[in-house]
């Protein structure tokens, strides 16, 4: 009897081992390869998708990330497309219905249009609890994930500031131009504007005005004020950059100075400053600059520090392989794979870099505004104002092209009058 009992136990154990090998392997592999709650498993996916990034300098790292994904899903092919000037190109492709499967989101596509171009991604496991700048469309569905958490300011070389005897960071326009004068006197270009790059010039019409005028949309839409009145954040922003060009504190050859030359000049200490986002410091580090060499401070006369997301990723509505696209997008953000590949701040709230950055921002004694909170707490009335402002601004052509024309115009008065006239014609009162 004991023999039969022992035999039964052996057979039962043997059957359990077989069952585990059949049914448990994929579950086990899921835990080995990735996080179980994020569902990075080895289910059979087959097909080919295109993934686009603006980081043309990170081809090797991004291909390495793609290779890692391919080891999990050997029947999937990911085609990497790198576009330096992603904004305009992807905007045109969106209009033609030809966005890549996993795509960067052009800034010209507003939140209210997300469902027109992208698939919902609510089931990927990213939400307001674990990621910054998580936004929902008007249908309360999630369509995008921010690549990074950053803020716009003036990145500067600390050694050049010291050589020019600049002891404190400029807080006003007057102090800023005085600093530029001192830097120019020691034979260094004070600031690189990257005039020929539309994606850089656009911040002077799109984001910087909000830093200089916290009531920008309300003042423009609900009050009888011209969009380029003297107190408007847009006007102040345009005059700021125009002053830099007028006093020749930037690149002399505005039309031929390119982005790579700018980065080289910053690394080689030929340029002291650039107005760009906080992630840019890491690009300079990739080129060999010391981590301590560059600092960043708020744009002079800013009323707030706005912490926003950088480019957003989404899945094209026209993708032929939504399952593959979702799996790859999830893979990119799990364990900060994309952020690590291109060396940027993470968008995950658990990131130590993010925690440290917020502590450093507090030292500037300015209100810190998380854009994700602005969107989350936005009332229907405020959203209506925003949409009205956004549409009017686009209709009258207040964009990067206008900024480029404005800063080199011999007389800006006709341009101001023309824009204000168009604005008055387009403006509809919100009641």
């Amino acid at each position: 009897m004991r023999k039969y009992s022992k035999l039964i136990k052996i057979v039962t154990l043997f059957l359990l081992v077989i069952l585990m090998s059949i049914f448990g392997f994929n579950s086990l592999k899921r835990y080995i390869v990735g996080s179980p709650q994020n569902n990075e498993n080895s289910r059979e996916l087959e097909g080919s998708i295109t993934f686009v990034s603006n980081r043309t300098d990170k081809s090797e790292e991004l291909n390495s990330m793609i290779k890692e994904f391919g080891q999990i899903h050997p029947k999937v092919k990911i085609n990497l497309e790198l576009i330096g000037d992603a904004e305009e190109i992807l905007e045109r492709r969106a209009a033609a219905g030809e966005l890549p499967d996993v795509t960067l989101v052009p800034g010209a596509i507003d939140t209210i249009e997300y469902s027109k171009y992208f698939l919902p991604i609510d089931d990927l496991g990213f939400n307001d609890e674990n990621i910054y700048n998580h936004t929902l469309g008007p249908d309360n569905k999630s369509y995008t994930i921010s690549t990074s958490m950053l803020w716009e300011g003036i990145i500067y070389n600390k050694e050049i500031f010291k050589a020019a005897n600049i002891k404190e960071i400029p807080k006003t326009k007057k102090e800023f131009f005085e600093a530029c004068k001192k830097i120019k006197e020691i034979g260094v270009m004070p600031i690189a504007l990257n005039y020929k790059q539309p994606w850089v010039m656009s911040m002077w019409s799109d984001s910087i005005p909000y830093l200089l005028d916290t009531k920008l949309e309300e003042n423009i839409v609900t009050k009888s004020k011209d969009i380029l009145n003297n107190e408007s954040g847009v006007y102040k922003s345009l005059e700021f950059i125009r002053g830099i060009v007028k006093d020749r504190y930037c690149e002399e050859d505005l039309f031929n100075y390119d982005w790579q030359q700018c980065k080289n000049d910053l690394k080689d200490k030929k340029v002291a400053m650039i107005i760009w986002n906080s992630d840019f410091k890491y690009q300079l580090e990739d080129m060999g600059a010391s981590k301590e060499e560059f600092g960043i401070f708020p744009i002079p006369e800013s009323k707030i520090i706005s912490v926003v997301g950088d480019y957003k990723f989404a899945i094209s509505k026209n993708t032929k392989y939504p399952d593959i696209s979702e799996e790859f997008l999830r893979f990119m953000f799990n364990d900060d794979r994309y952020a690590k590949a291109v060396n940027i701040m993470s968008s995950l709230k658990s990131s130590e870099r993010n925690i440290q950055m917020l502590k450093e921002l507090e030292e500037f004694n300015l209100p810190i505004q998380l854009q994700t909170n602005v969107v989350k707490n936005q009332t229907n009335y405020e959203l209506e104002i925003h949409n009205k402002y956004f549409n009017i601004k686009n209709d009258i052509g207040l964009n990067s092209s206008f900024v480029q024309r404005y800063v080199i115009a011999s007389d800006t008065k006709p341009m101001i009058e023309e824009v204000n006239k168009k604005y008055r014609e387009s403006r509809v009162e919100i009641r």
Side-chain angles (χ1 to χ4, degrees):
M1 194 74 178
R2 288 180 181 178
K3 288 183 179 180
Y4 287 113
S5 176
K6 188 174 182 180
L7 181 62
I8 290 170
K9 287 181 180 179
I10 292 172
V11 171
T12 302
L13 181 62
F14 180 70
L15 290 172
L16 282 172
V17 170
I18 293 174
L19 288 171
M20 284 182 68
S21 67
I22 295 172
F23 297 107
F25 178 75
N26 280 345
S27 297
L28 180 62
K29 187 172 181 181
R30 185 188 311 168
Y31 280 84
I32 294 172
V33 174
S35 171
Q37 71 263 25
N38 289 323
N39 195 33
E40 283 179 19
N41 55 46
S42 58
R43 61 193 172 90
E44 283 296 308
L45 292 176
E46 185 173 356
S48 175
I49 66 168
T50 298
F51 154 58
V52 67
S53 173
N54 64 316
R55 293 303 299 271
T56 56
D57 58 327
K58 291 292 183 178
S59 174
E60 182 179 345
E61 292 84 352
L62 289 171
N63 276 307
S64 178
M65 181 185 73
I66 289 170
K67 183 179 179 181
E68 184 185 349
F69 183 79
Q71 291 172 347
I72 305 170
H73 301 286
K75 293 184 179 181
V76 172
K77 179 175 175 56
I78 308 293
N79 301 297
L80 174 62
E81 184 177 358
L82 297 175
I83 305 175
D85 192 2
E87 279 290 336
E88 289 191 356
I89 294 172
L90 291 177
E91 184 180 346
R92 290 196 299 269
R93 288 171 66 172
E98 298 175 351
L99 283 171
D101 301 271
V102 177
T103 182
L104 294 170
V105 177
I109 299 179
D110 198 33
T111 308
I112 58 175
E113 300 179 291
Y114 281 173
S115 61
K116 178 180 177 182
Y117 297 100
F118 311 121
L119 292 179
I121 53 173
D122 299 270
D123 59 347
L124 293 192
F126 300 107
N127 52 53
D128 193 47
E129 297 298 319
N130 56 27
I131 198 165
Y132 283 110
N133 302 300
H134 178 259
T135 55
L136 299 174
D139 55 1
N140 286 323
K141 293 181 180 180
S142 175
Y143 290 93
T144 65
I145 305 178
S146 291
T147 56
S148 180
M149 182 186 181
L150 48 80
W151 60 288
E152 286 178 351
I154 300 182
I155 296 170
Y156 71 105
N157 187 296
K158 297 176 182 178
E159 294 179 15
I160 296 175
F161 267 48
K162 185 176 180 180
N165 197 31
I166 302 168
K167 298 178 180 179
E168 295 185 5
I169 60 171
K171 295 182 177 62
T172 66
K173 279 178 62 176
K174 181 182 178 183
E175 292 173 354
F176 174 79
F177 284 108
E178 287 173 352
C180 286
K181 185 174 184 294
K182 289 181 179 180
I183 293 168
K184 191 171 183 178
E185 286 173 350
I186 64 171
V188 176
M189 184 198 302
I191 186 166
L193 289 180
N194 289 283
Y195 171 90
K196 68 175 286 187
Q197 311 296 341
W199 41 277
V200 178
M201 288 296 99
S202 64
M203 67 180 173
W204 295 96
S205 59
D206 295 349
S207 55
I208 293 179
Y210 289 93
L211 304 178
L212 306 176
D213 182 2
T214 57
K215 299 290 185 181
L216 174 68
E217 293 180 352
E218 182 181 347
N219 289 337
I220 296 302
V221 174
T222 67
K223 299 180 181 179
S224 300
K225 292 185 176 182
D226 287 331
I227 197 165
L228 290 184
N229 73 82
N230 290 349
E231 297 302 315
S232 160
V234 184
Y235 177 79
K236 289 178 179 178
S237 177
L238 291 171
E239 284 298 299
F240 191 173
I241 183 176
R242 180 174 165 79
I244 294 171
V245 174
K246 184 179 177 182
D247 290 340
R248 300 188 177 184
Y249 288 142
C250 58
E251 59 264 31
E252 291 184 10
D253 191 351
L254 293 173
F255 297 95
N256 293 306
Y257 190 77
D258 63 31
W259 182 245
Q260 188 58 49
Q261 183 64 52
C262 168
K263 292 199 291 186
N264 291 338
D265 287 346
L266 283 161
K267 178 181 70 74
D268 296 336
K269 298 181 176 61
K270 295 179 181 179
V271 174
M273 296 180 283
I274 181 174
I275 300 179
W276 197 227
N277 66 62
S278 52
D279 265 349
F280 184 66
K281 289 194 301 178
Y282 303 117
Q283 290 192 42
L284 297 173
E285 287 175 21
D286 287 341
M287 296 176 66
S290 165
K291 285 186 176 181
E292 288 72 36
E293 190 173 348
F294 289 92
I296 181 169
F297 60 88
I299 294 167
E301 300 186 11
S302 289
K303 303 295 189 296
I304 58 169
I305 294 174
S306 180
V307 180
V308 301
D310 194 7
Y311 275 109
K312 297 177 180 179
F313 273 114
I315 296 174
S316 170
K317 197 169 186 176
N318 295 324
T319 180
K320 294 180 181 179
Y321 298 99
D323 288 348
I324 295 175
S325 297
E326 285 186 7
E327 195 70 12
F328 184 65
L329 187 58
R330 180 190 291 113
F331 174 85
M332 285 168 55
F333 282 85
N334 280 347
D335 195 32
D336 283 337
R337 288 187 180 94
Y338 183 79
K340 290 174 182 176
V342 299
N343 193 18
I344 58 176
M345 294 284 286
S346 166
S347 57
L348 297 182
K349 290 185 175 181
S350 58
S351 167
E352 286 297 324
R353 269 185 174 182
N354 285 339
I355 295 168
Q356 181 60 34
M357 183 182 76
L358 289 172
K359 288 180 181 177
E360 292 172 356
L361 291 181
E362 292 174 356
E363 297 176 7
F364 292 118
N365 294 317
L366 285 172
I368 300 171
Q369 183 183 81
L370 295 175
Q371 188 60 29
T372 182
N373 291 339
V374 173
V375 174
K376 185 170 65 175
N377 298 324
Q378 196 173 44
T379 66
N380 289 335
Y381 179 70
E382 289 168 338
L383 179 61
E384 186 180 0
I385 291 174
H386 168 72
N387 291 339
K388 180 62 65 177
Y389 175 79
F390 181 85
N391 291 333
I392 291 176
K393 177 179 163 296
N394 286 345
D395 288 344
I396 64 179
L398 203 53
N399 51 28
S400 60
S401 177
F402 181 85
V403 175
Q404 288 171 321
R405 297 196 310 273
Y406 189 93
V407 299
I408 62 172
S410 56
D411 181 11
T412 59
K413 187 176 179 181
M415 296 182 69
I416 293 172
E417 290 176 350
E418 180 185 1
V419 165
N420 284 336
K421 181 175 181 293
K422 287 181 179 179
Y423 166 70
R424 294 186 207 111
E425 292 171 352
S426 299
R427 184 174 179 272
V428 177
E429 292 283 355
I430 295 180
R431 301 185 184 279

